[in-house]
Amino acid sequence: MVFAYNIDKKTIPNFMKYVLGGTAGMMATVIVQPLDLVKTRMQIAAGAAGAKEYSSSFDCIRKVLQAEGVLAFYNGLSAGLLRQATYTTARMGVYQMEVEAYRNKYNESPRVLGSMIMGIIAGACGALVGNPSEVALIRMMADNRLPESQRRNYKNAADAMVRIVREEGLFTLWRGCLPTAGRAMVTNMAQLASYSQFKGAFRQYIDEGLLLHICASVCSGLLTTVASMPLDMAKTRIQQMKVIDGKPEYSGAIDVILKVTRNEGFFSLWKGFTPYLARIAPHTVFAFVFLEQLNNAYYKYILGEENRGSGL
């Protein structure tokens, strides 16, 4: 679906696209952080020999509450916010710049294939920038489930990254970068490209507003979840793994997928699907709504004109 655009001279500066995109992502993360923790705990939980640590997402929530308390759901929040300040800032900024460049050149919104390619590029850029905070986030959220003797006990995201560099080397911050980039490319291709298409399809039945954003983002979130979860599982396992006697537990993303399929079953690649979906859909809704409102405020109070849209 293609929409024509009248381009005027007043636009949001490129650096502000990054700032607003990252801010919207951070605001959404504060809301969905508990669901991200549940998803991560389920993905790293052992499932071999029929001894599952968690029987379901609700069982995971119950056990975390009983053993660690309510505040445990916000373990790793500093790393989660740092991830949004890096990963989401990069991907949203790059994508908005790509879309605006396309509209300036062709005076219309990108077609589906163009949006998919733009999403892939934005996802790869975001993954490269955000991987260090991703490693810190995964480790901090998983720490409390380890025996006390094996816990890393990072104080915050900055402490985690400093200690990782000091104890394991600089490039450990980019451990799992390939599956992270693969997941980010798939996620952004599906999420960013499909969101505007779903909005366009639903707009003939639903007026512009929150309900339209929710419907479009839930559909986009479901598609994104199914496509990206195996790579997300591989990324999580690689970033959490320990190196014992100089030998890492996994050699790469394919090795993770093969071992999980062989030892835990094919559908274990989608372990944590419910909290992942429950995280993706609200995060998409909140991030897009916040971004549209932030853009709206910038156009109104800084540029002195009505908003032309979020750029997504």
Side-chain angles (χ1 to χ4, degrees):
M1 188 172 295
V2 178
F3 300 96
Y5 284 85
N6 294 318
I7 307 298
D8 60 31
K9 295 181 180 180
K10 290 187 177 182
T11 60
I12 296 178
N14 287 335
F15 80 92
M16 282 303 301
K17 291 184 174 67
Y18 289 88
V19 172
L20 297 180
T23 300
M26 292 172 72
M27 293 168 69
T29 290
V30 172
I31 299 173
V32 304
Q33 174 73 12
L35 294 170
D36 202 23
L37 181 133
V38 173
K39 181 268 298 181
T40 299
R41 291 288 183 93
M42 292 190 68
Q43 286 184 332
I44 62 178
K52 292 185 177 181
E53 185 173 355
Y54 307 116
S55 61
S56 66
S57 302
F58 294 107
D59 183 51
C60 179
I61 293 172
R62 179 179 61 82
K63 288 181 177 178
V64 171
L65 275 174
Q66 288 179 344
E68 305 169 44
V70 175
L71 293 181
F73 288 105
Y74 283 90
N75 284 343
L77 178 60
S78 62
L81 293 175
L82 180 60
R83 178 180 181 272
Q84 294 301 315
T86 52
Y87 167 70
T88 298
T89 295
R91 76 182 180 105
M92 287 294 199
V94 169
Y95 188 75
Q96 289 183 95
M97 288 177 62
E98 291 172 326
V99 171
E100 183 169 296
Y102 186 97
R103 288 173 176 169
N104 285 336
K105 184 173 182 178
Y106 299 106
N107 200 33
E108 65 181 26
S109 63
R111 298 177 185 272
V112 176
L113 181 59
S115 295
M116 292 172 66
I117 294 173
M118 292 176 188
I120 289 173
I121 295 172
C125 293
L128 182 63
V129 174
N131 203 80
S133 57
E134 184 92 18
V135 172
L137 172 64
I138 294 299
R139 290 189 175 190
M140 291 176 70
M141 289 195 299
D143 211 38
N144 281 357
R145 66 175 293 274
L146 297 174
E148 287 192 24
S149 61
Q150 297 180 23
R151 293 179 185 175
R152 298 179 172 98
N153 295 317
Y154 298 133
K155 298 176 183 177
N156 49 52
D159 178 58
M161 289 193 286
V162 169
R163 283 182 51 191
I164 288 171
V165 172
R166 185 172 63 242
E167 297 168 7
E168 304 174 54
L170 176 64
F171 291 107
T172 303
L173 291 175
W174 278 271
R175 177 181 289 173
C177 188
L178 287 179
T180 298
R183 183 204 62 168
M185 291 164 70
V186 170
T187 298
N188 285 276
M189 178 187 70
Q191 186 184 64
L192 296 176
S194 67
Y195 179 72
S196 60
Q197 300 302 316
F198 281 124
K199 280 184 66 177
F202 293 153
R203 191 176 283 113
Q204 56 185 315
Y205 307 107
I206 306 173
D207 292 335
E208 183 70 32
L210 182 60
L211 180 59
L212 176 63
H213 300 157
I214 292 174
C215 292
S217 61
V218 167
C219 292
S220 176
L222 177 60
L223 177 65
T224 303
T225 302
V226 173
S228 66
M229 272 219 73
L231 288 170
D232 188 73
M233 162 74 76
K235 171 200 70 69
T236 300
R237 293 285 181 101
I238 289 173
Q239 291 175 332
Q240 168 62 14
M241 72 179 180
K242 289 182 177 290
V243 179
I244 302 174
D245 297 327
K247 185 178 180 180
E249 185 178 0
Y250 303 108
S251 60
I254 300 300
D255 186 43
V256 174
I257 292 173
L258 291 176
K259 286 182 177 177
V260 169
T261 301
R262 182 171 62 249
N263 297 329
E264 305 173 37
F266 177 71
F267 289 104
S268 290
L269 294 174
W270 284 271
K271 184 183 292 183
F273 180 88
T274 301
Y276 190 54
L277 175 62
R279 175 193 178 278
I280 286 290
H283 193 278
T284 301
V285 172
F286 289 126
F288 286 161
V289 169
F290 289 148
L291 181 58
E292 289 177 356
Q293 295 303 311
L294 290 170
N295 277 335
N296 211 356
Y298 193 93
Y299 274 112
K300 183 176 181 179
Y301 297 109
I302 305 300
L303 299 181
E305 63 175 36
E306 293 299 319
N307 183 18
R308 291 199 313 270
S310 68
L312 297 174

